Amino acid sequence: AQSVTQPDIHITVSEGASLELRCNYSYGATPYLFWYVQSPGQGLQLLLKYFSGDTLVQGIKGFEAEFKRSQSSFNLRKPSVHWSDAAEYFCVLSGGYNKLIFGAGTRLAVHP
Amino acid sequence: NAGVTQTPKFRVLKTGQSMTLLCAQDMNHEYMYWYRQDPGMGLRLIHYSVGEGTTAKGEVPDGYNVSRLKKQNFLLGLESAAPSQTSVYFCASSPWTSGDQETQYFGPGTRLLVL
């Protein structure tokens, strides 16, 4: 079965601290993986995507993610968090025919 | 270039009423999608379309109908609204080009409350 698991529902970090959001997927073939961010009351914005090739992908706003096939993971990282990064983050798997399978999301709070 | 737009932004319905949500995109994308977002569940696909005149069911299609009469528009209909359809609805579109086929662009959402 195709699925995405984000183990952490809420995460709180201090401004300037590093961040890692976890994501695990289940898919029978090479996955297409994405991270989207949703600010309060807003739509979704694409942070980065992995299709193939280099397993470390760079995105916007200083985010990066690493694809690890052996662990079925696609964790999102940022070395220094800013208060404006407070939002909900979704790990997403493309299940073929462009149909997206979303994780439940991780809500990030940033303390000053 | 407005991207993906949705109308209306917010609506309150009574149980049993009908309504149509409109999604429009100006990027000449082939594929369009309707999702609903509920707390703690991420987004779930309701229906999608791979081209003008075609539609297909997603993960949670019951209670909804869709139409894609024009390439740039994708309509989501609720024939008889139920409180369980209270949600935030997102429309998205994606191109059909190699290398970018699977990236979807989202609208701002429609918040629907069914009383």
Side-chain angles (χ1 to χ4, degrees):
Chain A
Q2 303 164 0
S3 66
V4 177
T5 302
Q6 294 180 248
D8 305 306
I9 298 174
H10 290 101
I11 283 184
T12 301
V13 299
S14 298
E15 192 169 18
S18 63
L19 172 70
E20 182 169 30
L21 302 183
R22 296 182 293 163
C23 172
N24 293 98
Y25 68 89
S26 173
Y27 191 64
T30 300
Y32 291 176
L33 293 160
F34 307 80
W35 276 97
Y36 280 87
V37 60
Q38 184 179 31
S39 298
Q42 302 296 311
L44 286 90
Q45 182 181 23
L46 180 67
L47 282 177
L48 49 79
K49 59 188 177 185
Y50 171 77
F51 283 1
S52 64
D54 194 347
T55 57
L56 185 64
V57 294
Q58 302 296 322
I60 63 171
K61 304 184 179 185
F63 285 93
E64 67 177 25
E66 186 171 12
F67 172 68
K68 292 186 177 180
R69 185 186 300 275
S70 62
Q71 298 178 18
S72 298
S73 69
F74 189 55
N75 294 349
L76 181 71
R77 300 195 293 250
K78 186 170 185 178
S80 178
V81 171
H82 188 262
W83 64 266
S84 61
D85 293 325
E88 189 156 23
Y89 293 80
F90 292 98
C91 182
V92 183
L93 168 70
S94 178
Y97 241 137
N98 290 10
K99 291 182 288 185
L100 298 184
I101 300 164
F102 282 75
T106 297
R107 187 170 297 277
L108 174 67
V110 181
H111 279 178
Chain B
N1 189 336
V4 180
T5 58
Q6 294 181 229
T7 309
K9 289 183 171 53
F10 178 70
R11 184 74 182 269
V12 179
L13 288 180
K14 294 181 180 179
T15 297
Q17 286 185 318
S18 63
M19 78 162 295
T20 300
L21 282 66
L22 170 64
C23 175
Q25 53 95 3
D26 60 2
M27 297 174 283
N28 201 36
H29 286 172
E30 292 293 335
Y31 289 15
M32 296 187 75
Y33 313 81
W34 275 108
Y35 295 88
R36 59 177 289 172
Q37 182 179 26
D38 302 295
M41 302 187 73
L43 277 70
R44 293 179 293 168
L45 182 64
I46 304 172
H47 286 280
Y48 65 103
S49 168
V50 300
E52 183 178 325
T54 72
T55 63
K57 294 180 180 180
E59 180 184 356
V60 288
D62 294 341
Y64 305 95
N65 57 76
V66 288
S67 64
R68 184 99 180 270
L69 299 179
K70 294 182 179 181
K71 185 178 183 179
Q72 64 269 32
N73 296 338
F74 194 30
L75 306 179
L76 178 70
L78 286 72
E79 290 185 348
S80 179
S84 61
Q85 295 177 303
T86 293
S87 188
V88 182
Y89 292 85
F90 286 97
C91 177
S93 70
S94 71
W96 191 80
T97 55
S98 178
D100 202 29
Q101 180 177 357
E102 317 256 10
T103 300
Q104 294 187 15
Y105 300 83
F106 285 83
T110 294
R111 189 172 298 273
L112 176 65
L113 175 61
V114 183
L115 301 175

